[in-house]
């Protein structure tokens, strides 16, 4: 009864569930496998894992470039200022915002490479760029952008590389002298004094992807233009620059107590920020209490109006909640569906596959109806009955005998066939063929009792 | 309690806030003003304790017909009563919308609130509660309190439908044929001697009373009339088998219908009709009712009967019948031909009953069984269901045969013919003079 609907339900749910499962598995795998820039060791020159940068550092050293690994931004700035060098920042989110502007003040001979900087970093660093479209994964593309050749010679030499993940565009009303490469996945521009290269994908630098396409050529080309590479390898969010020197000498414990890796630098204007926020700046905290920007954004009558409307809503809610009368309950009469036990027994037969008992009952019922029509007693031998029925209906006697006294049906289809044939039998017997020539039976027509 | 009007007033006041020099004191002022106005309005609403209510209207209605019950709301206070009144009945009483009635009653006046009821079920349908909401003149606040004014108790008794009434004229006509001066009157045992009259050509010569003819100089024949002043007892089984739905009503309702038709006919035939409804206890009993009030008493006794999910105690049934009917009577037992209920309950005690009374067992036939066995199965589950149905029919036939062995007549008919077949059985017994 319910099986068609259930099957229909399955038909819709199973493919949909498979697709959802595929999505879920893919998403979980992606989240687990995709490297996180905030993890310690991400693109580190000493990390030989798949998300490290040790092979790139070796390739650079092999090219004769001096690779310097620095653990703190002030040190990196100092080292980069000593000689013409390339400053690689693999995780710009970890750099404290106050250092970002300092990066732009490096000498003009320097180059700064930012890997996948988010909008916040670009904004605070004064870079006239903004992220536009972000892809789900890095895609290998040619160095051209909208048909224009790439102005960076090292990128043009690399050819196809997996450099397109985050696209960047020039912020509205900013300097036009930018070089776009890899379909805007790589931007080269002059950033106050120094040269800045922003690349939206970390893949060309990573150990596991370095060999693919022209990634090696692109990475070594971008970093090998100067004789020195200063590799800023940060383990976690940096402390602000005006704190005492203690975190700098103790580099292993700069992380905030809790919630620090979610938001490395809470907004200083939010006086009631996270518990790991800048609790050591009481002057800013008290100032932020006085002027709440949300409260200042609207006139005070607006808040008063809001409060009054809220009160009116409360009255409406109370008015609606007071019902005129509770619902009236009454006992319902007992309901027993007709033939409930009969139908239930039929289902039990079916579940137990009781084809034998069911066929016996059906045959017995058919015999009890057919025998009085043929004037045969209830205990007639099967041969007599089969012959009499066969003569009356014109069917072969073996078939009739098989129908009335045959074997147990093997499956439901056979039982259904049997039931249909038995249901048709009394009609066939009572309305015989035109050639009615039944031999008179030698038996007395006795009363058919109600036992069957 | 405040209404939406108070909230709207507050909202309107809120819209004037930009015009005020300092908004927050204005909020306090406006809110206080609205609350004060609402409190005044509440105080001016008509008091609930001064309102008195009484009902009149229909007490009984036949199932399927509509009844009206009127509430008279008297405002005994000196203030005008404005508000809404909800007259809550049980859902099966079928109270027509509106959900609540608007009321405007002047001081000292009385307003009528009419509730139209179309009950959906047989039995007693009570009015449950009354709630009155008295609003102030501005409609800002209202008074409402549970149980005030007190709801006047009222119960509408919904009588059985008695659809087989339409068969009564036909059955009465057959009774009259039986009763008339026709030769068809039987001479069997038990028929009563009526009168002597002169022989006319065509009379049965065996009816000639020679002794009386010898006394007179004319040939006289005896005339017979059907037995009168016999007793008929309808016993309704209200146990679990009576709860089974035949069509869309329980088996008990079909039994009631047949019992009412039988009672109406038997009382016209001059027999005394009693009624008993039993499961594990006597649920209803009518005995010794005069002919005029019989049907009224019967429907009133039957109306509140409901099937209960218990096994009927046939020991109790037989004991009650034997206790109530000392003389020989026709006992019509309305039940179901079910081997479990009858085979184990009735058959052991049936000889005691059948020894003293004439017993008819009447059962409504389940149309589902007929459908299952008469149509060729279309699916495999139909074949299994057909086997189960044939088995049920065979069991029923066994019960029937066992009952017949005790001299009990069995009436097994589908619901639409049931009442007719039961009365036919009665008429047949009456014709044969075997009551």
């Amino acid at each position: 009864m319910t099986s068609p609907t259930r099957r229909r339900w399955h038909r819709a749910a199973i493919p949909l569930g498979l697709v959802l499962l595929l999505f879920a598995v893919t998403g979980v795998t992606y989240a687990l496998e995709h490297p996180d820039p905030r993890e310690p060791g991400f693109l580190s020159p000493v990390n030989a894992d798949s998300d490290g940068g040790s092979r790139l550092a070796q390739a650079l050293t092999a090219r004769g470039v001096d690779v310097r690994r620095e653990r703190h931004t002030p040190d990196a700035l100092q080292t980069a200022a000593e000689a013409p060098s390339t400053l690689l920042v693999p995780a710009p989110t970890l750099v404290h915002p106050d250092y970002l502007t300092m990066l732009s003040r490096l000498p003009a001979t320097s180059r700064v490479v930012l890997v996948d900087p988010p909008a916040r970093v670009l904004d605070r660093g004064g870079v006239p760029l903004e992220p536009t479209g972000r892809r789900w994964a890095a895609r290998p593309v040619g160095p051209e952008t909208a048909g224009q050749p790439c102005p960076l010679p090292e990128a043009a030499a690399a050819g196809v590389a997996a450099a397109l993940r985050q696209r960047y565009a020039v912020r509205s009303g900013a300097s036009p002298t930018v070089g776009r490469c890899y379909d805007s996945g790589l931007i080269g521009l002059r950033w106050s004094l120094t040269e800045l290269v922003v690349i939206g994908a970390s893949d060309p630098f990573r150990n596991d992807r370095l060999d693919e396409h022209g990634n090696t050529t692109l990475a070594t080309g971008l970093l090998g233009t100067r004789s020195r590479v200063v590799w800023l390898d940060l383990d976690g969010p940096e402390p602000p620059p005006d704190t005492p020197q203690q975190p700098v000498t103790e580099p292993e414990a700069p992380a905030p107590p809790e919630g620090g890796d979610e938001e490395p630098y809470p907004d200083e204007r939010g006086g009631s920020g996270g518990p790991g926020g800048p609790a050591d700046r009481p002057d800013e905290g008290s100032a932020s209490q006085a002027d709440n920007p949300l409260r200042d954004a609207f006139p005070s009558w607006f808040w008063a109006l809001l409060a009054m409307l809220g009160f009116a809503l409360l009255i409406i809610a109370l008015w609606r909640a007071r019902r005129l009368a509770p619902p009236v309950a009454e006992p319902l009469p007992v309901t027993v569906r007709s033939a409930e036990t009969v139908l239930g027994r039929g289902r039990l037969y079916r579940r137990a596959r009781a084809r034998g008992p069911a066929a016996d009952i059906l045959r017995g019922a058919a015999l009890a109806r057919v025998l009085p029509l043929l004037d045969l007693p209830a205990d007639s031998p099967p041969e007599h009955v089969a012959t009499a029925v066969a003569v009356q209906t014109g069917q072969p006697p073996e078939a009739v005998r098989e129908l009335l006294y045959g074997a147990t049906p093997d499956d439901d289809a056979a039982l259904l066939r049997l039931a249909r044939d038995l249901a048709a039998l009394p009609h066939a017997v009572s309305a015989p063929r035109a050639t009615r020539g039944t031999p008179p039976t030698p038996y007395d027509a006795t009363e058919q009792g109600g036992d069957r | 309690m405040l209404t939406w009007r108070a909230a709207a007033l507050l909202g309107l006041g809120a819209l004037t806030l930009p015009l005020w020099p300092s908004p927050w004191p204005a909020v306090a002022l406006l809110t206080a003003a609205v609350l004060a106005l609402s409190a005044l309005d509440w105080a001016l609403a008509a008091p609930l304790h001064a309102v008195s209510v009484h009902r009149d209207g229909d007490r009984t209605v036949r199932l399927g017909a509509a009844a009206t019950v009127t509430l008279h709301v008297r405002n005994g206070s000196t203030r005008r009563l404005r508000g809404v009144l909800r007259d809550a009945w049980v859902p099966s009483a079928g109270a027509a919308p509106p959900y609540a009635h608007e009321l405007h009653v002047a001081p000292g006046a009385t307003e009528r609130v009419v509730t139209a009821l179309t009950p959906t079920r047989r039995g007693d349908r009570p009015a449950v509660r009354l709630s009155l909401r008295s609003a102030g003149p501005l409609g800002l606040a209202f008074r409402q309190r549970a149980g005030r004014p007190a709801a006047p108790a009222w119960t509408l008794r919904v009588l059985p439908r008695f659809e087989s009434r339409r068969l009564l004229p036909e059955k009465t006509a057959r009774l009259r044929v039986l009763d008339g001066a026709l030769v068809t009157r039987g001479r069997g045992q038990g028929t009563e001697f009526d009168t002597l009259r002169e022989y006319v050509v065509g009379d049965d010569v065996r009816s000639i009373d020679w002794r009386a003819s010898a006394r007179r100089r004319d040939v006289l024949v005896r005339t017979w009339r059907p037995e009168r002043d016999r007793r008929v007892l309808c016993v309704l089984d209200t146990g679990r088998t009576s709860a089974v739905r035949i069509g869309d009503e329980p088996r008990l309702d079909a039994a009631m219908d047949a019992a009412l038709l039988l009672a109406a006919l038997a009382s016209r035939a001059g027999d005394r009709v009693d009624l008993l409804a039993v499961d594990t206890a006597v649920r209803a009993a009518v005995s010794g009712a005069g002919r005029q009030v019989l049907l009224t008493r019967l429907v009133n006794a039957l109306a509140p009967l409901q099937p209960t999910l218990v096994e009927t105690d046939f020991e109790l049934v037989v004991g009650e019948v034997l206790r109530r009917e000392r003389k020989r009577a026709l006992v019509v037992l309305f039940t179901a031909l079910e081997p479990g209920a009858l085979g184990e309950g009735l058959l052991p005690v049936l000889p005691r009953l059948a020894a003293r009374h004439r017993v008819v067992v009447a059962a409504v036939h389940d149309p589902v069984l007929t459908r299952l066995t008469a149509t060729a199965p279309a699916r495999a589950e139909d074949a299994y269901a057909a086997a189960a149905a044939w088995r049920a029919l065979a069991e029923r036939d066994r019960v029937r045969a066992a009952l017949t062995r005790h001299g009990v007549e069995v009436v097994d008919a589908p619901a639409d013919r049931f009442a007719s077949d039961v009365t036919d059985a009665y008429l047949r017994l009456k014709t044969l003079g075997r009551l």
Side-chain angles (χ1 to χ4, degrees):
Chain A
M1 214 185 293
T2 56
S3 59
T5 52
R6 191 181 302 162
R7 209 177 302 131
R8 222 174 297 139
W9 181 84
H10 276 297
R11 202 180 286 175
I14 287 178
L16 212 68
L18 281 178
V19 169
L20 285 180
L21 189 73
L22 195 70
F23 273 127
V25 168
T26 315
V28 168
T29 317
Y30 174 77
L32 287 180
E33 290 293 314
H34 200 77
D36 184 5
R38 294 181 195 172
E39 278 178 18
F42 174 74
L43 279 192
S44 165
V46 294
N47 183 5
D49 283 347
S50 60
D51 64 338
S54 62
R55 293 181 56 203
L56 176 59
Q58 284 160 18
L60 286 170
T61 314
R63 277 184 58 164
V65 180
D66 178 19
V67 177
R68 299 278 187 94
R69 176 180 176 234
E70 293 295 346
R71 308 298 306 273
H72 306 290
T73 314
D75 301 347
L77 289 170
Q78 201 171 357
T79 315
E82 285 168 4
S85 49
T86 308
L87 176 61
L88 172 64
V89 186
T93 39
L94 300 181
V95 179
H96 194 276
D98 292 354
Y99 290 128
L100 288 172
T101 46
M102 294 187 195
L103 292 180
S104 67
R105 293 190 204 117
L106 283 172
T109 51
S110 312
R111 169 186 273 191
V112 176
V113 178
L114 296 180
V115 179
D116 195 11
R120 181 170 59 85
V121 170
L122 295 174
D123 188 25
R124 299 297 298 275
V127 182
L129 293 180
E130 57 185 357
T132 50
R134 188 173 182 87
R135 285 177 52 80
W136 193 57
R139 177 186 170 199
V141 288
E144 305 85 22
T145 299
Q148 300 286 319
C150 179
L152 268 80
E154 53 270 26
V160 174
L164 177 60
R165 181 148 190 258
Q166 174 71 60
R167 282 196 181 88
Y168 292 95
V170 175
R171 200 179 297 251
S172 53
S175 75
T177 55
V178 293
R180 298 162 194 275
C181 298
Y182 293 104
D183 206 5
S184 299
L186 188 152
I187 306 274
L189 73 158
R190 180 72 38 195
W191 184 24
S192 58
L193 285 176
T194 114
E195 182 192 0
L196 176 69
V197 174
V198 171
I199 180 164
S202 64
D203 292 43
F205 306 100
R206 262 162 44 201
N207 282 343
D208 53 345
R209 302 260 183 248
L210 194 64
D211 293 335
E212 295 173 3
H213 314 291
N215 286 356
T216 318
T217 323
L218 176 65
T220 51
L222 280 179
L223 303 181
T225 49
R226 315 302 197 258
S227 59
R228 176 188 283 183
V229 170
V230 179
W231 199 307
L232 183 57
D233 185 12
L234 296 174
D235 277 346
E238 272 191 312
D242 54 348
T243 45
Q245 287 296 310
Q246 189 257 344
V248 180
T249 54
E250 284 274 319
E252 303 308 319
E258 66 248 30
D261 49 354
E262 278 300 314
E263 196 181 350
Y265 294 104
D267 198 353
E268 297 99 308
R269 289 188 294 179
S272 58
D280 49 345
R281 281 179 288 179
D283 47 342
E284 276 193 36
S286 63
S288 66
Q289 291 291 344
D291 46 1
N292 186 335
L294 186 65
R295 205 175 61 192
D296 293 344
F298 296 98
S300 63
W301 61 260
F302 175 80
W303 300 107
L305 186 111
L306 218 59
M308 215 154 154
L309 287 181
F311 191 58
L313 272 180
L314 181 75
I315 290 180
I316 286 188
L318 288 174
W319 167 64
R320 294 298 294 171
R322 181 77 167 112
R323 59 190 176 183
L324 195 50
V328 180
E330 73 172 327
L332 287 174
V334 282
T335 310
V336 182
R337 282 184 296 134
S338 71
E340 198 175 48
T341 47
V342 169
L343 294 173
R345 185 182 282 153
R347 284 194 289 274
L348 270 182
Y349 280 161
R350 182 164 189 236
R351 185 173 298 175
R353 298 195 175 79
R355 286 183 278 271
D360 289 348
I361 293 169
L362 289 171
R363 280 172 170 148
L367 273 178
R369 281 184 296 164
V370 165
L371 291 180
L373 292 172
L374 297 169
D375 287 344
L376 288 172
D379 52 354
S380 305
E383 294 82 22
H384 283 277
V385 178
T387 316
V389 172
V391 166
Q392 196 79 356
T393 59
Q395 295 166 358
E398 313 82 67
V400 175
R401 200 193 150 116
E402 175 63 29
L403 179 66
L404 285 174
Y405 302 99
T408 303
D410 299 325
D411 52 1
D412 281 1
L415 178 72
L416 180 59
R417 249 190 333 271
L418 179 79
R420 297 177 78 108
D421 292 348
L422 287 173
L425 195 63
H427 299 288
V429 170
S430 58
R433 296 179 306 161
T435 56
R436 184 178 177 126
T438 41
T441 47
Y443 299 96
D444 297 332
T446 52
E447 186 72 24
Q448 290 295 316
D451 274 39
R452 195 55 263 179
Chain B
M1 193 67 213
L2 299 176
T3 66
W4 66 271
R5 289 185 198 223
L9 204 61
L10 212 58
L12 278 178
L15 292 183
T16 65
L17 277 177
L19 309 176
W20 290 69
S22 53
W24 289 103
V27 168
L29 195 67
L30 286 170
T31 310
V34 168
L35 287 181
L37 206 58
S38 301
L40 181 72
D41 199 41
W42 185 87
L44 288 177
L48 295 175
H49 59 81
V51 177
S52 58
V53 180
H54 74 274
R55 279 183 209 270
D56 61 12
D58 295 334
R59 289 270 185 190
T60 58
V61 66
R62 209 172 274 287
L63 181 60
T68 53
V69 174
T70 309
L71 269 177
H72 299 268
V73 184
R74 187 175 176 278
N75 179 10
S77 72
T78 53
R79 299 182 210 130
R80 189 175 176 79
L81 171 66
R82 307 166 189 79
V84 283
L85 177 82
R86 163 133 172 87
D87 186 14
W89 291 73
V90 290
S92 61
Y99 177 82
H101 301 268
E102 292 275 339
L103 268 187
H104 289 280
V105 192
T110 300
E111 182 86 2
R112 292 170 70 240
V113 173
V114 179
T115 307
L117 302 158
T118 314
T120 56
R121 280 213 306 274
R122 187 173 43 75
D124 287 342
R125 305 275 84 104
V128 180
R129 68 173 70 84
L130 203 64
S131 26
L132 179 63
R133 182 175 281 191
S134 165
L138 294 176
L140 292 175
F142 61 83
R143 302 183 184 206
Q144 181 185 342
R145 199 160 159 202
R148 190 170 279 187
W154 194 269
T155 302
L156 184 69
R157 174 153 285 191
V158 186
L159 306 176
R161 220 185 278 266
F162 194 15
E163 278 195 330
S164 56
R165 255 179 312 177
R166 65 196 154 82
L167 298 173
L168 196 55
E170 181 226 331
K171 304 290 176 196
T172 317
R174 283 180 58 186
L175 192 69
R176 240 179 252 123
V177 169
L178 217 67
D179 208 3
L182 289 173
V183 200
T184 50
R185 272 185 253 156
R187 284 168 46 91
Q189 58 164 11
T191 48
E192 289 181 353
F193 171 70
D194 188 13
T195 51
L196 291 169
R197 64 168 172 77
E198 289 181 5
Y199 177 82
V200 291
V201 179
D203 277 351
D204 188 356
V205 288
R206 289 176 296 174
S207 301
I208 296 172
D209 188 341
W210 296 109
R211 196 182 295 261
S213 303
R215 277 202 292 273
R216 302 272 299 272
R217 287 178 31 214
D218 210 347
V219 182
L220 294 179
V221 291
R222 291 180 183 178
T223 60
W224 311 87
R225 64 167 194 188
E227 304 140 312
R228 300 182 81 87
D229 292 325
R230 300 285 144 164
R231 287 159 182 275
V232 177
L233 174 64
C234 298
V235 181
L236 274 80
D237 169 7
T238 58
R240 65 173 174 88
T241 54
S242 70
V244 174
R245 302 240 151 191
I246 307 290
D248 57 353
E249 60 176 18
R251 184 174 264 146
L252 181 63
D253 285 28
M256 281 183 189
D257 199 43
L260 286 174
L261 182 66
L262 177 62
L265 187 71
S267 70
R268 286 193 188 191
D271 293 337
R272 282 190 43 197
V273 182
D274 296 341
L275 179 123
L276 200 59
V278 190
D279 41 67
T280 52
V282 177
R283 301 288 173 193
V286 174
S287 59
R291 212 184 134 178
Q292 306 301 321
V293 294
L294 174 74
L295 270 186
T296 318
R297 283 191 58 186
L298 281 185
V299 289
N300 267 310
L302 290 176
L305 279 186
Q306 294 295 340
T308 41
L309 286 183
V310 292
E311 192 73 65
T312 305
D313 182 2
F314 281 102
E315 190 93 28
L316 175 72
V317 173
V318 170
E320 281 293 322
V321 171
L322 292 178
R323 194 175 63 78
R324 283 160 194 266
E325 303 291 330
R326 305 273 168 177
K327 289 193 196 167
R328 186 174 172 83
L330 171 69
V331 176
V332 184
L333 177 58
F334 293 93
T335 180
L337 285 178
E338 204 171 280
L342 291 193
E344 287 154 28
L346 179 62
L347 285 180
V349 292
L350 188 60
R352 280 166 54 203
L353 187 65
R356 195 190 293 173
H357 299 300
R358 177 97 208 151
V359 183
V360 171
V361 170
V364 186
H365 188 86
D366 199 335
V368 178
L369 287 188
T370 318
R371 182 172 57 75
L372 284 177
T373 52
T375 55
R379 295 169 303 169
E381 50 256 51
D382 294 347
Y384 286 111
W390 278 115
R391 182 174 161 177
L393 285 183
E395 281 171 350
R396 199 189 62 185
D397 286 346
R398 266 206 298 284
V399 171
R400 191 186 187 130
L403 289 174
T404 315
R405 269 199 299 280
H406 284 96
V408 172
E409 186 166 341
V410 177
V411 177
D412 181 26
D416 53 340
R417 290 210 327 262
F418 183 61
S420 173
D421 282 15
V422 170
T423 43
D424 284 355
Y426 162 80
L427 285 172
R428 194 162 54 245
L429 287 173
K430 203 162 180 66
T431 315
L432 295 174
R434 294 171 71 182
L435 284 183

